[in-house]
Amino acid sequence: MAKSGTTTQGLRTAIERSGYYPALVAEAVEAAVGGEPIASYLVHQETTFDSNEVRRHVTVLVLTGNRFIVSHTDEQAADAGSPSPYATTSTESVKLASISSVVLSRVVANPESYTPGTLPREVVLTIGWGAVSRIDLEPAACGDQNCDADHGYTGNSTADDLSLRVSEAGDGPEAVRQTLRFAQSLSEATAAASAPAR
């Protein structure tokens, strides 16, 4: 683990490198972190195209010794409520023991010739802590093709608080490496936080 000062400076540098309202993003993240030492972080910028508009979004994830902090910043075009463009920044602080799942999906090209240590083509990091759940429902059936009775619904509830896709082609190999490092740090921290006290 890097020293607190070095990691804090690294986080600020990563926010500035994203080029996305760095003063606004850094202030929000630093206020949420407070004086806690930073164990790991991830800064991810995403650009989307919506009709004739280009919209940017930055997500900053920070791991401290006790908390997982998520910050989102979005820009919005002028609208009826605001005559000028504006940005919205939100931060959420989650106790490590509250995190119920850390899922890391790796996409690897040519899996038949995969060599351990090869960088995945893309990764998807999904983190759940119970703030947002998705319910997928479908009509239940009994298996009898001639049955027309109402069997209600069946479905799944999935914790889906945060999902982040990072690809080598779109974000660069260093962004994929940083995502892998952050996912490992978060998995280790949540395992330690949920371990029974001895």
Side-chain angles (χ1 to χ4, degrees), residues 107-177:
V107 177
V108 177
N110 304 313
E112 69 282 355
S113 59
Y114 177 77
T115 304
T118 302
L119 198 62
R121 185 173 67 193
E122 73 178 54
V123 293
V124 178
L125 176 60
T126 305
I127 305 164
W129 58 91
V132 177
S133 292
R134 182 180 70 238
I135 299 176
D136 297 318
L137 294 176
E138 61 184 36
C142 66
D144 179 357
Q145 294 178 353
N146 297 320
C147 180
D148 60 357
D150 183 358
H151 295 286
Y153 288 88
T154 184
N156 296 313
S157 175
T158 308
D160 194 15
D161 295 299
L162 175 75
S163 190
L164 205 63
R165 178 183 172 269
V166 180
S167 71
E168 186 177 19
D171 303 295
E174 186 51 38
V176 174
R177 281 188 200 91

Side-chain angles (χ1 to χ4, degrees), residues 30-50:
E30 289 168 4
V33 171
E36 285 189 73
I38 296 172
S40 187
Y41 62 87
L42 178 63
V43 178
H44 182 256
Q45 183 181 335
E46 183 179 7
T47 303
T48 57
F49 300 92
D50 182 18

